[in-house]
Amino acid sequence: MTRPLYIGSEIYRHSSYGPKHPLAVPRVSTCTDLCRALGWLPDRVYVEAPMASEAALARFHDPAYVAALRRAEAAQAVSEAERARYRLGAEGNPVYPEMFRRPAISAGGVMLAARLTASGGVVHCPGGGTHHGRRDRASGFCFLNDPVLGLLAWLDQGLGNIVYVDIDAHHGDGVQDAFAGDERVLTISVHEAGRWPFTGAAEDRAGGTARNLPVPKGFNDSEFLYLLDHAVLPLVRARRPQAIMLQAGADALAEDPLARLSLSNNAYFAAAAALLGLAPRLVVLGGGGYNPWAVGRCWAGVWATLNGLPIPPRLPAEAEAVLRALRFDRAAGRDPPAHWFTTLRDAPRPGPVREEVVRLAALTLEERLSA
Ligand SMILES: [Zn+2]
């Protein structure tokens, strides 16, 4: 197999959803800078994401919505009617300077990942993962849905057996709904129960093309590995997929301010490593993740995992400097613990595997629900 490729973009470096928004923090640029500082990202494997054209976005999105998004960026304002219809400038989807270009570049990156893996391969595209985006409106900080566009690009190449695995703390509702009833794509989502968007119950199988694993608060590494071994991997193996897309939203990490799960980044590395050999094509995306240190360390470690690179126990000075330069206007940013600067891999966060997690795995594999 050829070397894994990394798709990034400089647009993420200075783009912010606004000072009070959870996406005020840099994420992709931190990951990229860490990987460069560690010598993991030679120029020959780095690809700058292209901006998707409006015609390409129309493969999934309503052209009228895309046009409205572009107008909103140009005007830096939306009419009351467009706010109500498209949820622009509302519900956590702010009007901000790159509100069309940034998601269009994320979409271009994930569609490029599908093209670059047409005959096999591995791509890390941490700017992707906007799993809540809808055909004709913004949702949950997502203006477009780049995972859907990437999966459609694979289908358009003729692939007919794809698995999408989503380990973001929030349910991957936009992707599940886009492929509901389409036998070619199985969507699997592990997410915090009772959290926005409040969909993705264990019984919800979207007519057979989805599996949902809503997990309890405090979900730990041992429980994650249990679900991986007893639900996610058996489902993936049984499908023998031609391609796997992993949405690795980093908001299920214990340090995340928006969710209440307790994973260490070892859980993410384990998922990436386990999925790596299960299909000839693997594309890994980012997603949520609102603690800048936790996100950058997690996604950089995922890239190391995809490349089989050892993660040093103590970061070299250049990598530490990347982490020390970050600022975070929340309580956790006032007195960050030293290991957020000096290490990449978290200490494991094992714990008891609760009965409800065991039941969830059994329910997920149960056939009778599959209709
Ligand atoms: Zn999320």
Side-chain angles (χ1 to χ4, degrees), residues 185-308:
V185 182
L186 174 68
T187 63
I188 304 171
S189 178
V190 180
H191 47 269
E192 185 179 338
R195 180 160 297 285
W196 190 91
F198 308 109
T199 49
E203 297 76 20
D204 172 15
R205 290 188 170 186
T209 55
R211 293 292 184 279
N212 281 297
L213 295 93
V215 299
K217 288 187 186 5
F219 184 60
N220 62 52
D221 284 0
S222 308
E223 292 177 321
F224 183 90
L225 294 174
Y226 185 90
L227 288 187
L228 194 64
D229 286 341
H230 294 87
V232 177
L233 296 179
L235 284 169
V236 176
R237 287 199 194 96
R239 286 270 301 210
R240 303 172 61 84
Q242 296 164 300
I244 299 171
M245 183 178 283
L246 170 63
Q247 197 269 20
D251 44 10
L253 292 168
E255 299 89 349
D256 194 86
L258 262 57
R260 291 291 171 267
L261 305 181
S262 301
L263 298 181
S264 78
N265 56 25
N266 294 285
Y268 287 76
F269 308 161
L275 293 171
L276 192 54
L278 296 186
R281 300 164 187 83
L282 174 65
V283 169
V284 181
L285 310 179
Y290 307 98
N291 175 314
W293 293 282
V295 181
R297 293 165 69 246
C298 181
W299 292 347
V302 166
W303 174 243
T305 303
L306 296 175
N307 285 277

Side-chain angles (χ1 to χ4, degrees), residues 129 131-132 140-141 166-171 195-196 247 249-252 256 258-259 287-290:
H131 59 169
H132 300 304
F141 315 165
D166 186 321
I167 58 173
D168 190 284
H170 302 90
H171 177 225
R195 180 160 297 285
W196 190 91
Q247 197 269 20
D251 44 10
D256 194 86
L258 262 57
Y290 307 98

Side-chain angles (χ1 to χ4, degrees), residues 51-52 54 57 66 69-70 73 98-104:
M51 194 185 309
E54 287 189 56
L57 295 173
V66 174
L69 184 57
R70 196 163 200 163
E73 179 178 280
E98 305 85 16
M99 66 186 289
F100 171 77
R101 281 169 293 160
R102 175 173 164 164

Side-chain angles (χ1 to χ4, degrees), residues 7-8 12 27-28 102 106-107 110 125-130 146 285-287 299:
I7 299 180
Y12 304 108
R27 305 171 334 130
V28 177
R102 175 173 164 164
S106 299
V110 182
C125 185
T130 53
D146 56 69
L285 310 179
W299 292 347

